[in-house]
Amino acid sequence: SHVSTDKAYEMGNAQSKLRIAVLDYGVKKHILHCMVDRGAYIKVFPAKTKADELKQFNPSGYFISNGPGDPAAMDYAVETVKDILNEGKPVFGICLGHQLLALANGISTFKMHHGHRGLNHPVKNLTTGKCEITTQNHGFGVDPEAVKKAKNVEVTHVNLNDQSIEGIKLKNKPAFSVQYHPESTPGPQDSRYLFDEFISLINSN
């Protein structure tokens, strides 16, 4: 909450039918640009905004941002993510947002012995079989054993260096997340397709 915006602000074309509510836990500006560049009108909300206030924006989708800190200490964020998931609209999370999505589905997180920092982390997309070169900056991860026990969660991406969980999606809701940073600027740009998938999910929902 210390690195979040103090007040809500908007970006993009207000006439757009693509309306995305962004929960700001330390969001990177280029993440916002990646959504606006794809035609979205976004409203960025402070970290402790309740779901009822988010819904007043009438979003067609929700984005859970990256940010610093231990996700397990953010009970307020986990509750908000649970509430927006119940709405059934598309949800996309990056980094801390990935961990919060896991926690909202009963999957624990842990402090890594060695975090992932910097460029050139190889991540395998288990859906396509392709390897993506990624940018990462996190010291906490999603518990792989807890993921295996979660019947409603599917692992979509795995780190090829240490087999840690890099992406998940829900089987029963239009929600997904990745641990790394697809918006990385400068590059690599291997994972920018994730923003396209989020927009497509909103359009088809």
Side-chain angles (χ1 to χ4, degrees), residues 16 25 33 39 56 65 89 115-119 135 137 147 154 165 174 187-188 201:
S16 175
Y25 302 120
H33 287 310
Q56 291 176 16
S65 89
K89 292 182 178 180
H116 294 161
R117 313 291 178 188
L119 305 175
T135 294
N137 186 23
V147 170
E154 177 182 338
I165 305 300
L201 194 60

Side-chain angles (χ1 to χ4, degrees), residues 4 6 12 15 57 59 94 116 128 133 146 156 159 177-178 191 199:
S4 181
D6 293 329
Q15 305 305 315
F57 178 59
I94 287 177
H116 294 161
T128 65
I133 302 303
T156 58
N159 189 298
S177 61
V178 290
S191 307
I199 298 301

Side-chain angles (χ1 to χ4, degrees), residues 7-203:
K7 58 182 180 180
Y9 62 93
E10 300 166 7
M11 292 176 61
N13 180 5
Q15 305 305 315
S16 175
K17 294 180 180 179
L18 285 166
R19 299 171 65 88
I20 299 173
V22 176
L23 279 163
D24 177 13
Y25 302 120
V27 71
K28 292 187 176 183
K29 186 177 291 185
H30 201 249
I31 289 177
L32 305 179
H33 287 310
C34 283
M35 290 186 281
V36 170
D37 289 347
R38 287 162 173 78
Y41 176 55
I42 65 175
K43 187 168 184 177
V44 183
F45 292 88
K48 293 190 175 181
T49 304
K50 301 291 186 182
D52 288 343
E53 186 176 342
L54 298 174
K55 292 175 184 178
Q56 291 176 16
F57 178 59
N58 192 28
S60 42
Y62 293 92
F63 177 77
I64 315 168
S65 89
N66 61 290
D70 183 353
M74 299 172 62
D75 291 343
Y76 63 91
V78 174
E79 289 305 311
T80 301
V81 173
K82 286 180 179 179
D83 288 342
I84 63 177
L85 285 173
N86 287 333
E87 198 174 347
K89 292 182 178 180
V91 176
F92 178 28
I94 287 177
C95 202
L96 180 66
H98 165 73
Q99 298 158 9
L100 291 172
L101 182 64
L103 287 167
N105 285 276
I107 299 169
S108 57
T109 56
F110 68 100
K111 183 174 177 59
M112 302 171 74
H113 187 274
H114 289 85
H116 294 161
R117 313 291 178 188
L119 305 175
N120 299 330
H121 290 264
V123 169
K124 184 175 182 179
N125 182 323
L126 299 179
T127 303
T128 65
K130 294 181 179 180
C131 178
E132 303 167 21
I133 302 303
T134 68
T135 294
Q136 306 203 14
N137 186 23
H138 63 103
F140 292 85
V142 171
D143 184 348
E145 294 304 316
V147 170
K148 291 177 183 177
K149 296 175 184 177
K151 295 180 179 179
N152 67 320
V153 176
E154 177 182 338
V155 176
T156 58
H157 297 75
V158 174
N159 189 298
L160 294 179
N161 287 336
D162 60 9
Q163 302 302 307
S164 58
I165 305 300
E166 294 278 2
I168 60 173
K169 70 176 182 180
L170 302 192
K171 297 178 181 179
N172 59 343
K173 295 183 186 295
F176 70 103
S177 61
V178 290
Q179 182 63 79
Y180 51 96
H181 284 271
E183 85 293 343
S184 56
T185 177
Q189 300 185 12
D190 296 26
S191 307
R192 295 278 174 88
Y193 70 89
L194 290 164
F195 293 101
D196 297 322
E197 290 189 354
F198 183 38
I199 298 301
S200 294
L201 194 60
I202 292 174
N203 286 330

